[in-house]
PDB file of all heavy atoms in Angstrom:
ATOM      1  N   ASP A   1      -2.528   9.748  10.529  1.00 97.00           N
ATOM      2  CA  ASP A   1      -3.118   8.468  10.460  1.00 97.00           C
ATOM      3  C   ASP A   1      -2.724   7.857   9.020  1.00 97.00           C
ATOM      4  O   ASP A   1      -2.105   8.637   8.126  1.00 97.00           O
ATOM      5  CB  ASP A   1      -4.575   8.408  10.606  1.00 97.00           C
ATOM      6  CG  ASP A   1      -5.363   9.376   9.723  1.00 97.00           C
ATOM      7  OD1 ASP A   1      -4.961   9.569   8.552  1.00 97.00           O
ATOM      8  OD2 ASP A   1      -6.379   9.909  10.096  1.00 97.00           O
ATOM      9  N   ALA A   2      -2.948   6.648   8.682  1.00 98.00           N
ATOM     10  CA  ALA A   2      -2.645   6.004   7.455  1.00 98.00           C
ATOM     11  C   ALA A   2      -3.279   6.646   6.336  1.00 98.00           C
ATOM     12  O   ALA A   2      -2.766   6.839   5.148  1.00 98.00           O
ATOM     13  CB  ALA A   2      -2.928   4.566   7.494  1.00 98.00           C
ATOM     14  N   LYS A   3      -4.618   7.008   6.546  1.00 98.00           N
ATOM     15  CA  LYS A   3      -5.413   7.560   5.431  1.00 98.00           C
ATOM     16  C   LYS A   3      -4.727   8.798   4.846  1.00 98.00           C
ATOM     17  O   LYS A   3      -4.694   9.048   3.639  1.00 98.00           O
ATOM     18  CB  LYS A   3      -6.909   7.821   5.941  1.00 98.00           C
ATOM     19  CG  LYS A   3      -7.770   8.327   4.951  1.00 98.00           C
ATOM     20  CD  LYS A   3      -9.218   8.416   5.625  1.00 98.00           C
ATOM     21  CE  LYS A   3     -10.253   8.859   4.470  1.00 98.00           C
ATOM     22  NZ  LYS A   3      -9.991  10.324   4.134  1.00 98.00           N
ATOM     23  N   ALA A   4      -4.237   9.567   5.815  1.00 98.00           N
ATOM     24  CA  ALA A   4      -3.608  10.899   5.376  1.00 98.00           C
ATOM     25  C   ALA A   4      -2.405  10.627   4.520  1.00 98.00           C
ATOM     26  O   ALA A   4      -2.020  11.262   3.569  1.00 98.00           O
ATOM     27  CB  ALA A   4      -3.180  11.743   6.569  1.00 98.00           C
ATOM     28  N   VAL A   5      -1.712   9.625   4.849  1.00 98.00           N
ATOM     29  CA  VAL A   5      -0.423   9.155   4.074  1.00 98.00           C
ATOM     30  C   VAL A   5      -0.936   8.712   2.599  1.00 98.00           C
ATOM     31  O   VAL A   5      -0.293   9.182   1.667  1.00 98.00           O
ATOM     32  CB  VAL A   5       0.379   8.153   4.805  1.00 98.00           C
ATOM     33  CG1 VAL A   5       1.590   7.690   4.051  1.00 98.00           C
ATOM     34  CG2 VAL A   5       0.864   8.683   6.213  1.00 98.00           C
ATOM     35  N   PHE A   6      -1.715   7.727   2.733  1.00 98.00           N
ATOM     36  CA  PHE A   6      -2.158   7.115   1.345  1.00 98.00           C
ATOM     37  C   PHE A   6      -2.680   8.206   0.401  1.00 98.00           C
ATOM     38  O   PHE A   6      -2.493   8.207  -0.751  1.00 98.00           O
ATOM     39  CB  PHE A   6      -3.244   6.085   1.672  1.00 98.00           C
ATOM     40  CG  PHE A   6      -2.693   4.760   1.845  1.00 98.00           C
ATOM     41  CD1 PHE A   6      -2.354   4.310   3.179  1.00 98.00           C
ATOM     42  CD2 PHE A   6      -2.467   3.815   0.910  1.00 98.00           C
ATOM     43  CE1 PHE A   6      -1.764   2.999   3.481  1.00 98.00           C
ATOM     44  CE2 PHE A   6      -1.976   2.584   1.031  1.00 98.00           C
ATOM     45  CZ  PHE A   6      -1.666   2.129   2.315  1.00 98.00           C
ATOM     46  N   GLU A   7      -3.469   9.131   1.022  1.00 98.00           N
ATOM     47  CA  GLU A   7      -4.039  10.174   0.175  1.00 98.00           C
ATOM     48  C   GLU A   7      -3.020  11.125  -0.410  1.00 98.00           C
ATOM     49  O   GLU A   7      -3.122  11.677  -1.523  1.00 98.00           O
ATOM     50  CB  GLU A   7      -5.034  11.074   0.942  1.00 98.00           C
ATOM     51  CG  GLU A   7      -6.445  10.096   1.223  1.00 98.00           C
ATOM     52  CD  GLU A   7      -7.374  10.989   2.022  1.00 98.00           C
ATOM     53  OE1 GLU A   7      -7.051  12.079   2.569  1.00 98.00           O
ATOM     54  OE2 GLU A   7      -8.615  10.581   2.057  1.00 98.00           O
ATOM     55  N   ALA A   8      -1.915  11.373   0.413  1.00 98.00           N
ATOM     56  CA  ALA A   8      -0.935  12.396  -0.039  1.00 98.00           C
ATOM     57  C   ALA A   8       0.295  12.003  -0.877  1.00 98.00           C
ATOM     58  O   ALA A   8       0.843  12.842  -1.640  1.00 98.00           O
ATOM     59  CB  ALA A   8      -0.429  13.033   1.154  1.00 98.00           C
ATOM     60  N   VAL A   9       0.596  10.757  -0.948  1.00 98.00           N
ATOM     61  CA  VAL A   9       1.730  10.323  -1.482  1.00 98.00           C
ATOM     62  C   VAL A   9       1.795   9.636  -2.755  1.00 98.00           C
ATOM     63  O   VAL A   9       0.610   9.083  -3.168  1.00 98.00           O
ATOM     64  CB  VAL A   9       2.732   9.423  -0.543  1.00 98.00           C
ATOM     65  CG1 VAL A   9       2.831  10.008   0.756  1.00 98.00           C
ATOM     66  CG2 VAL A   9       1.964   8.079  -0.403  1.00 98.00           C
ATOM     67  N   ASP A  10       2.828   9.585  -3.553  1.00 98.00           N
ATOM     68  CA  ASP A  10       2.938   9.015  -4.839  1.00 98.00           C
ATOM     69  C   ASP A  10       3.444   7.438  -4.704  1.00 98.00           C
ATOM     70  O   ASP A  10       3.129   6.627  -5.617  1.00 98.00           O
ATOM     71  CB  ASP A  10       3.879   9.661  -5.809  1.00 98.00           C
ATOM     72  CG  ASP A  10       3.596  11.104  -5.890  1.00 98.00           C
ATOM     73  OD1 ASP A  10       2.458  11.508  -6.386  1.00 98.00           O
ATOM     74  OD2 ASP A  10       4.398  12.060  -5.470  1.00 98.00           O
ATOM     75  N   MET A  11       4.181   7.256  -3.705  1.00 98.00           N
ATOM     76  CA  MET A  11       4.657   5.863  -3.349  1.00 98.00           C
ATOM     77  C   MET A  11       4.607   5.519  -1.922  1.00 98.00           C
ATOM     78  O   MET A  11       5.036   6.242  -1.095  1.00 98.00           O
ATOM     79  CB  MET A  11       6.161   5.754  -3.915  1.00 98.00           C
ATOM     80  CG  MET A  11       6.736   4.458  -3.625  1.00 98.00           C
ATOM     81  SD  MET A  11       8.369   4.143  -4.468  1.00 98.00           S
ATOM     82  CE  MET A  11       9.414   5.378  -3.720  1.00 98.00           C
ATOM     83  N   ILE A  12       4.019   4.353  -1.721  1.00 98.00           N
ATOM     84  CA  ILE A  12       3.996   3.740  -0.436  1.00 98.00           C
ATOM     85  C   ILE A  12       4.918   2.758  -0.286  1.00 98.00           C
ATOM     86  O   ILE A  12       5.162   1.756  -1.076  1.00 98.00           O
ATOM     87  CB  ILE A  12       2.541   3.102  -0.076  1.00 98.00           C
ATOM     88  CG1 ILE A  12       1.451   4.102  -0.098  1.00 98.00           C
ATOM     89  CG2 ILE A  12       2.596   2.268   1.216  1.00 98.00           C
ATOM     90  CD1 ILE A  12       1.292   4.933   1.232  1.00 98.00           C
ATOM     91  N   VAL A  13       5.751   2.811   0.820  1.00 98.00           N
ATOM     92  CA  VAL A  13       6.803   1.867   1.128  1.00 98.00           C
ATOM     93  C   VAL A  13       6.478   1.118   2.501  1.00 98.00           C
ATOM     94  O   VAL A  13       6.369   1.808   3.450  1.00 98.00           O
ATOM     95  CB  VAL A  13       8.303   2.581   1.210  1.00 98.00           C
ATOM     96  CG1 VAL A  13       9.374   1.432   1.450  1.00 98.00           C
ATOM     97  CG2 VAL A  13       8.632   3.373  -0.078  1.00 98.00           C
ATOM     98  N   LYS A  14       6.285  -0.174   2.379  1.00 98.00           N
ATOM     99  CA  LYS A  14       5.816  -0.997   3.405  1.00 98.00           C
ATOM    100  C   LYS A  14       6.721  -2.033   3.790  1.00 98.00           C
ATOM    101  O   LYS A  14       7.800  -2.240   3.172  1.00 98.00           O
ATOM    102  CB  LYS A  14       4.466  -1.474   3.285  1.00 98.00           C
ATOM    103  CG  LYS A  14       3.280  -0.490   3.237  1.00 98.00           C
ATOM    104  CD  LYS A  14       1.860  -1.185   3.116  1.00 98.00           C
ATOM    105  CE  LYS A  14       1.323  -1.700   4.394  1.00 98.00           C
ATOM    106  NZ  LYS A  14       1.924  -3.051   4.746  1.00 98.00           N
ATOM    107  N   VAL A  15       6.340  -3.058   4.643  1.00 97.00           N
ATOM    108  CA  VAL A  15       7.198  -4.225   4.919  1.00 97.00           C
ATOM    109  C   VAL A  15       6.197  -5.460   4.573  1.00 97.00           C
ATOM    110  O   VAL A  15       6.473  -6.113   3.478  1.00 97.00           O
ATOM    111  CB  VAL A  15       7.424  -4.428   6.324  1.00 97.00           C
ATOM    112  CG1 VAL A  15       8.112  -5.714   6.596  1.00 97.00           C
ATOM    113  CG2 VAL A  15       8.408  -3.278   6.699  1.00 97.00           C
ATOM    114  N   LYS A  16       5.068  -5.577   5.007  1.00 95.00           N
ATOM    115  CA  LYS A  16       4.167  -6.641   4.696  1.00 95.00           C
ATOM    116  C   LYS A  16       3.068  -6.329   3.696  1.00 95.00           C
ATOM    117  O   LYS A  16       2.956  -5.051   3.383  1.00 95.00           O
ATOM    118  CB  LYS A  16       3.433  -7.192   5.940  1.00 95.00           C
ATOM    119  CG  LYS A  16       4.287  -7.819   6.969  1.00 95.00           C
ATOM    120  CD  LYS A  16       5.096  -9.013   6.402  1.00 95.00           C
ATOM    121  CE  LYS A  16       4.176 -10.131   6.010  1.00 95.00           C
ATOM    122  NZ  LYS A  16       5.027 -11.338   5.335  1.00 95.00           N
ATOM    123  N   GLU A  17       2.679  -7.351   3.034  1.00 95.00           N
ATOM    124  CA  GLU A  17       1.576  -7.094   2.063  1.00 95.00           C
ATOM    125  C   GLU A  17       0.375  -6.186   2.615  1.00 95.00           C
ATOM    126  O   GLU A  17       0.145  -6.350   3.889  1.00 95.00           O
ATOM    127  CB  GLU A  17       0.979  -8.415   1.579  1.00 95.00           C
ATOM    128  CG  GLU A  17      -0.018  -9.129   2.603  1.00 95.00           C
ATOM    129  CD  GLU A  17       0.772  -9.941   3.658  1.00 95.00           C
ATOM    130  OE1 GLU A  17       1.970  -9.968   3.558  1.00 95.00           O
ATOM    131  OE2 GLU A  17       0.139 -10.539   4.547  1.00 95.00           O
ATOM    132  N   PRO A  18      -0.091  -5.367   1.900  1.00 97.00           N
ATOM    133  CA  PRO A  18      -1.226  -4.418   2.316  1.00 97.00           C
ATOM    134  C   PRO A  18      -2.466  -5.336   2.758  1.00 97.00           C
ATOM    135  O   PRO A  18      -2.833  -6.260   2.061  1.00 97.00           O
ATOM    136  CB  PRO A  18      -1.581  -3.565   1.208  1.00 97.00           C
ATOM    137  CG  PRO A  18      -1.227  -4.281  -0.044  1.00 97.00           C
ATOM    138  CD  PRO A  18       0.005  -5.137   0.398  1.00 97.00           C
ATOM    139  N   GLN A  19      -2.985  -4.913   3.958  1.00 96.00           N
ATOM    140  CA  GLN A  19      -4.150  -5.534   4.456  1.00 96.00           C
ATOM    141  C   GLN A  19      -5.420  -5.000   3.837  1.00 96.00           C
ATOM    142  O   GLN A  19      -5.217  -4.047   3.050  1.00 96.00           O
ATOM    143  CB  GLN A  19      -4.240  -5.513   5.993  1.00 96.00           C
ATOM    144  CG  GLN A  19      -3.006  -5.906   6.687  1.00 96.00           C
ATOM    145  CD  GLN A  19      -2.637  -7.434   6.519  1.00 96.00           C
ATOM    146  OE1 GLN A  19      -3.531  -8.317   6.933  1.00 96.00           O
ATOM    147  NE2 GLN A  19      -1.612  -7.719   5.756  1.00 96.00           N
ATOM    148  N   ALA A  20      -6.566  -5.591   4.084  1.00 97.00           N
ATOM    149  CA  ALA A  20      -7.785  -5.218   3.258  1.00 97.00           C
ATOM    150  C   ALA A  20      -8.076  -3.786   3.359  1.00 97.00           C
ATOM    151  O   ALA A  20      -8.427  -3.047   2.303  1.00 97.00           O
ATOM    152  CB  ALA A  20      -9.027  -6.082   3.739  1.00 97.00           C
ATOM    153  N   ASP A  21      -7.893  -3.253   4.489  1.00 96.00           N
ATOM    154  CA  ASP A  21      -8.207  -1.756   4.706  1.00 96.00           C
ATOM    155  C   ASP A  21      -7.265  -0.916   3.899  1.00 96.00           C
ATOM    156  O   ASP A  21      -7.496   0.207   3.445  1.00 96.00           O
ATOM    157  CB  ASP A  21      -8.144  -1.373   6.145  1.00 96.00           C
ATOM    158  CG  ASP A  21      -9.353  -1.994   7.031  1.00 96.00           C
ATOM    159  OD1 ASP A  21     -10.336  -2.393   6.330  1.00 96.00           O
ATOM    160  OD2 ASP A  21      -9.330  -1.938   8.238  1.00 96.00           O
ATOM    161  N   GLU A  22      -6.002  -1.319   3.940  1.00 98.00           N
ATOM    162  CA  GLU A  22      -4.962  -0.583   3.125  1.00 98.00           C
ATOM    163  C   GLU A  22      -5.088  -0.739   1.785  1.00 98.00           C
ATOM    164  O   GLU A  22      -4.990   0.148   0.767  1.00 98.00           O
ATOM    165  CB  GLU A  22      -3.459  -1.138   3.603  1.00 98.00           C
ATOM    166  CG  GLU A  22      -3.289  -0.892   5.064  1.00 98.00           C
ATOM    167  CD  GLU A  22      -1.894  -1.656   5.496  1.00 98.00           C
ATOM    168  OE1 GLU A  22      -1.681  -2.729   5.049  1.00 98.00           O
ATOM    169  OE2 GLU A  22      -1.265  -0.990   6.183  1.00 98.00           O
ATOM    170  N   ARG A  23      -5.465  -1.937   1.228  1.00 98.00           N
ATOM    171  CA  ARG A  23      -5.859  -2.101  -0.175  1.00 98.00           C
ATOM    172  C   ARG A  23      -6.697  -1.138  -0.725  1.00 98.00           C
ATOM    173  O   ARG A  23      -6.712  -0.619  -1.836  1.00 98.00           O
ATOM    174  CB  ARG A  23      -6.050  -3.566  -0.610  1.00 98.00           C
ATOM    175  CG  ARG A  23      -4.907  -4.501  -0.214  1.00 98.00           C
ATOM    176  CD  ARG A  23      -5.119  -5.846  -0.848  1.00 98.00           C
ATOM    177  NE  ARG A  23      -6.221  -6.677  -0.338  1.00 98.00           N
ATOM    178  CZ  ARG A  23      -6.007  -7.494   0.633  1.00 98.00           C
ATOM    179  NH1 ARG A  23      -5.036  -7.695   1.319  1.00 98.00           N
ATOM    180  NH2 ARG A  23      -7.173  -8.208   1.058  1.00 98.00           N
ATOM    181  N   ALA A  24      -7.860  -0.948   0.094  1.00 97.00           N
ATOM    182  CA  ALA A  24      -8.879  -0.166  -0.240  1.00 97.00           C
ATOM    183  C   ALA A  24      -8.514   1.419  -0.452  1.00 97.00           C
ATOM    184  O   ALA A  24      -9.155   2.196  -0.947  1.00 97.00           O
ATOM    185  CB  ALA A  24     -10.142  -0.188   0.834  1.00 97.00           C
ATOM    186  N   MET A  25      -7.302   1.845   0.262  1.00 98.00           N
ATOM    187  CA  MET A  25      -6.819   3.210   0.033  1.00 98.00           C
ATOM    188  C   MET A  25      -5.966   3.364  -1.108  1.00 98.00           C
ATOM    189  O   MET A  25      -5.593   4.478  -1.391  1.00 98.00           O
ATOM    190  CB  MET A  25      -6.201   3.522   1.426  1.00 98.00           C
ATOM    191  CG  MET A  25      -7.134   3.523   2.692  1.00 98.00           C
ATOM    192  SD  MET A  25      -6.553   4.380   4.150  1.00 98.00           S
ATOM    193  CE  MET A  25      -5.539   2.940   4.659  1.00 98.00           C
ATOM    194  N   LEU A  26      -5.456   2.342  -1.746  1.00 98.00           N
ATOM    195  CA  LEU A  26      -4.613   2.388  -2.897  1.00 98.00           C
ATOM    196  C   LEU A  26      -5.457   3.139  -4.039  1.00 98.00           C
ATOM    197  O   LEU A  26      -6.640   2.939  -4.196  1.00 98.00           O
ATOM    198  CB  LEU A  26      -3.971   1.092  -3.249  1.00 98.00           C
ATOM    199  CG  LEU A  26      -2.948   0.471  -2.380  1.00 98.00           C
ATOM    200  CD1 LEU A  26      -2.654  -0.953  -2.842  1.00 98.00           C
ATOM    201  CD2 LEU A  26      -1.558   1.312  -2.460  1.00 98.00           C
ATOM    202  N   ARG A  27      -4.695   3.713  -5.021  1.00 97.00           N
ATOM    203  CA  ARG A  27      -5.305   4.466  -6.065  1.00 97.00           C
ATOM    204  C   ARG A  27      -4.559   4.221  -7.249  1.00 97.00           C
ATOM    205  O   ARG A  27      -3.328   3.851  -7.285  1.00 97.00           O
ATOM    206  CB  ARG A  27      -5.580   5.822  -5.824  1.00 97.00           C
ATOM    207  CG  ARG A  27      -4.228   6.689  -5.809  1.00 97.00           C
ATOM    208  CD  ARG A  27      -4.599   8.149  -5.626  1.00 97.00           C
ATOM    209  NE  ARG A  27      -3.316   8.912  -5.550  1.00 97.00           N
ATOM    210  CZ  ARG A  27      -2.529   9.163  -4.498  1.00 97.00           C
ATOM    211  NH1 ARG A  27      -2.889   8.733  -3.434  1.00 97.00           N
ATOM    212  NH2 ARG A  27      -1.468   9.883  -4.724  1.00 97.00           N
ATOM    213  N   LYS A  28      -5.255   4.396  -8.344  1.00 96.00           N
ATOM    214  CA  LYS A  28      -4.681   4.291  -9.728  1.00 96.00           C
ATOM    215  C   LYS A  28      -3.451   5.169  -9.883  1.00 96.00           C
ATOM    216  O   LYS A  28      -3.463   6.354  -9.507  1.00 96.00           O
ATOM    217  CB  LYS A  28      -5.707   4.641 -10.875  1.00 96.00           C
ATOM    218  CG  LYS A  28      -5.138   4.466 -12.390  1.00 96.00           C
ATOM    219  CD  LYS A  28      -6.196   4.800 -13.243  1.00 96.00           C
ATOM    220  CE  LYS A  28      -5.792   4.629 -14.601  1.00 96.00           C
ATOM    221  NZ  LYS A  28      -5.565   3.375 -15.125  1.00 96.00           N
ATOM    222  N   GLY A  29      -2.346   4.603 -10.408  1.00 95.00           N
ATOM    223  CA  GLY A  29      -1.174   5.431 -10.587  1.00 95.00           C
ATOM    224  C   GLY A  29      -0.168   5.396  -9.335  1.00 95.00           C
ATOM    225  O   GLY A  29       0.980   5.792  -9.586  1.00 95.00           O
ATOM    226  N   GLN A  30      -0.586   5.049  -8.263  1.00 98.00           N
ATOM    227  CA  GLN A  30       0.120   4.962  -7.003  1.00 98.00           C
ATOM    228  C   GLN A  30       1.156   3.771  -7.091  1.00 98.00           C
ATOM    229  O   GLN A  30       0.833   2.752  -7.480  1.00 98.00           O
ATOM    230  CB  GLN A  30      -0.743   4.979  -5.786  1.00 98.00           C
ATOM    231  CG  GLN A  30      -0.017   5.393  -4.494  1.00 98.00           C
ATOM    232  CD  GLN A  30      -1.064   5.553  -3.383  1.00 98.00           C
ATOM    233  OE1 GLN A  30      -1.948   4.812  -3.311  1.00 98.00           O
ATOM    234  NE2 GLN A  30      -0.911   6.619  -2.614  1.00 98.00           N
ATOM    235  N   ILE A  31       2.429   4.103  -6.541  1.00 98.00           N
ATOM    236  CA  ILE A  31       3.315   2.929  -6.552  1.00 98.00           C
ATOM    237  C   ILE A  31       3.250   2.286  -5.159  1.00 98.00           C
ATOM    238  O   ILE A  31       3.345   2.995  -4.141  1.00 98.00           O
ATOM    239  CB  ILE A  31       4.676   3.458  -6.802  1.00 98.00           C
ATOM    240  CG1 ILE A  31       4.822   4.035  -8.140  1.00 98.00           C
ATOM    241  CG2 ILE A  31       5.784   2.312  -6.584  1.00 98.00           C
ATOM    242  CD1 ILE A  31       6.145   4.758  -8.406  1.00 98.00           C
ATOM    243  N   LEU A  32       3.249   0.994  -4.999  1.00 98.00           N
ATOM    244  CA  LEU A  32       3.295   0.288  -3.836  1.00 98.00           C
ATOM    245  C   LEU A  32       4.655  -0.551  -3.963  1.00 98.00           C
ATOM    246  O   LEU A  32       4.717  -1.357  -4.740  1.00 98.00           O
ATOM    247  CB  LEU A  32       2.181  -0.628  -3.578  1.00 98.00           C
ATOM    248  CG  LEU A  32       2.186  -1.667  -2.313  1.00 98.00           C
ATOM    249  CD1 LEU A  32       2.089  -0.947  -1.132  1.00 98.00           C
ATOM    250  CD2 LEU A  32       0.958  -2.556  -2.543  1.00 98.00           C
ATOM    251  N   PHE A  33       5.437  -0.433  -2.875  1.00 98.00           N
ATOM    252  CA  PHE A  33       6.757  -1.110  -2.866  1.00 98.00           C
ATOM    253  C   PHE A  33       6.830  -1.793  -1.400  1.00 98.00           C
ATOM    254  O   PHE A  33       7.006  -1.253  -0.403  1.00 98.00           O
ATOM    255  CB  PHE A  33       7.896  -0.111  -3.002  1.00 98.00           C
ATOM    256  CG  PHE A  33       9.214  -0.730  -3.354  1.00 98.00           C
ATOM    257  CD1 PHE A  33       9.408  -1.801  -4.031  1.00 98.00           C
ATOM    258  CD2 PHE A  33      10.385  -0.111  -2.829  1.00 98.00           C
ATOM    259  CE1 PHE A  33      10.641  -2.323  -4.323  1.00 98.00           C
ATOM    260  CE2 PHE A  33      11.690  -0.540  -3.023  1.00 98.00           C
ATOM    261  CZ  PHE A  33      11.808  -1.632  -3.858  1.00 98.00           C
ATOM    262  N   THR A  34       6.713  -3.179  -1.608  1.00 98.00           N
ATOM    263  CA  THR A  34       6.638  -3.991  -0.353  1.00 98.00           C
ATOM    264  C   THR A  34       6.790  -5.456  -0.622  1.00 98.00           C
ATOM    265  O   THR A  34       6.832  -5.903  -1.838  1.00 98.00           O
ATOM    266  CB  THR A  34       5.311  -3.639   0.356  1.00 98.00           C
ATOM    267  OG1 THR A  34       5.367  -4.199   1.695  1.00 98.00           O
ATOM    268  CG2 THR A  34       4.067  -4.169  -0.353  1.00 98.00           C
ATOM    269  N   TYR A  35       6.604  -6.370   0.401  1.00 95.00           N
ATOM    270  CA  TYR A  35       6.471  -7.645   0.069  1.00 95.00           C
ATOM    271  C   TYR A  35       5.067  -7.913  -0.223  1.00 95.00           C
ATOM    272  O   TYR A  35       4.059  -7.438   0.311  1.00 95.00           O
ATOM    273  CB  TYR A  35       6.872  -8.478   1.375  1.00 95.00           C
ATOM    274  CG  TYR A  35       8.313  -8.656   1.704  1.00 95.00           C
ATOM    275  CD1 TYR A  35       8.896  -8.094   2.856  1.00 95.00           C
ATOM    276  CD2 TYR A  35       9.250  -9.330   0.847  1.00 95.00           C
ATOM    277  CE1 TYR A  35      10.179  -8.071   3.085  1.00 95.00           C
ATOM    278  CE2 TYR A  35      10.510  -9.362   1.100  1.00 95.00           C
ATOM    279  CZ  TYR A  35      11.055  -8.745   2.273  1.00 95.00           C
ATOM    280  OH  TYR A  35      12.397  -8.956   2.587  1.00 95.00           O
ATOM    281  N   LEU A  36       4.819  -8.830  -1.117  1.00 95.00           N
ATOM    282  CA  LEU A  36       3.507  -9.191  -1.721  1.00 95.00           C
ATOM    283  C   LEU A  36       2.994 -10.549  -1.583  1.00 95.00           C
ATOM    284  O   LEU A  36       1.939 -11.037  -1.007  1.00 95.00           O
ATOM    285  CB  LEU A  36       3.261  -8.693  -3.137  1.00 95.00           C
ATOM    286  CG  LEU A  36       3.272  -7.169  -3.372  1.00 95.00           C
ATOM    287  CD1 LEU A  36       3.236  -6.856  -4.724  1.00 95.00           C
ATOM    288  CD2 LEU A  36       2.139  -6.501  -2.581  1.00 95.00           C
ATOM    289  N   HIS A  37       3.824 -11.595  -2.073  1.00 92.00           N
ATOM    290  CA  HIS A  37       3.747 -13.041  -1.964  1.00 92.00           C
ATOM    291  C   HIS A  37       2.277 -13.337  -2.534  1.00 92.00           C
ATOM    292  O   HIS A  37       1.431 -13.975  -1.900  1.00 92.00           O
ATOM    293  CB  HIS A  37       3.767 -13.512  -0.450  1.00 92.00           C
ATOM    294  CG  HIS A  37       5.163 -13.307   0.080  1.00 92.00           C
ATOM    295  ND1 HIS A  37       6.258 -14.004  -0.385  1.00 92.00           N
ATOM    296  CD2 HIS A  37       5.537 -12.363   1.103  1.00 92.00           C
ATOM    297  CE1 HIS A  37       7.282 -13.482   0.311  1.00 92.00           C
ATOM    298  NE2 HIS A  37       6.877 -12.631   1.284  1.00 92.00           N
ATOM    299  N   LEU A  38       2.043 -12.844  -3.719  1.00 94.00           N
ATOM    300  CA  LEU A  38       0.703 -12.978  -4.234  1.00 94.00           C
ATOM    301  C   LEU A  38       0.228 -14.334  -4.824  1.00 94.00           C
ATOM    302  O   LEU A  38      -0.903 -14.687  -4.835  1.00 94.00           O
ATOM    303  CB  LEU A  38       0.498 -12.045  -5.568  1.00 94.00           C
ATOM    304  CG  LEU A  38       0.635 -10.569  -5.243  1.00 94.00           C
ATOM    305  CD1 LEU A  38       0.689  -9.757  -6.544  1.00 94.00           C
ATOM    306  CD2 LEU A  38      -0.400 -10.110  -4.293  1.00 94.00           C
ATOM    307  N   ALA A  39       1.270 -15.214  -5.074  1.00 90.00           N
ATOM    308  CA  ALA A  39       0.880 -16.546  -5.626  1.00 90.00           C
ATOM    309  C   ALA A  39       0.034 -17.250  -4.638  1.00 90.00           C
ATOM    310  O   ALA A  39      -0.700 -18.386  -5.040  1.00 90.00           O
ATOM    311  CB  ALA A  39       2.151 -17.462  -5.957  1.00 90.00           C
ATOM    312  N   ALA A  40       0.086 -16.976  -3.295  1.00 86.00           N
ATOM    313  CA  ALA A  40      -0.670 -17.812  -2.455  1.00 86.00           C
ATOM    314  C   ALA A  40      -1.799 -16.915  -1.790  1.00 86.00           C
ATOM    315  O   ALA A  40      -2.440 -17.328  -0.794  1.00 86.00           O
ATOM    316  CB  ALA A  40       0.269 -18.348  -1.190  1.00 86.00           C
TER     317      ALA A  40
END
């Protein structure tokens, strides 16, 4: 599942911006590489 991936890896590579459940699994020092579109 996604939780196992988020807990184990140093870098998450996605397509779309992380949804709320995914953002909650990110941690300090982890790299997220994906589309974000934060201005909106």
Side-chain angles (χ1 to χ4, degrees):
D1 53 35
K3 185 173 183 289
V5 176
F6 273 86
E7 288 179 349
V9 303
D10 306 301
M11 177 166 64
I12 293 285
V13 181
K14 291 181 81 277
V15 178
K16 290 305 293 177
E17 72 280 358
Q19 304 301 290
D21 290 348
E22 295 171 319
R23 297 195 290 268
M25 291 189 283
L26 287 166
R27 65 176 186 274
K28 183 180 176 67
Q30 197 168 42
I31 300 169
L32 173 66
F33 192 37
T34 189
Y35 288 115
L36 292 175
H37 300 292
L38 294 179

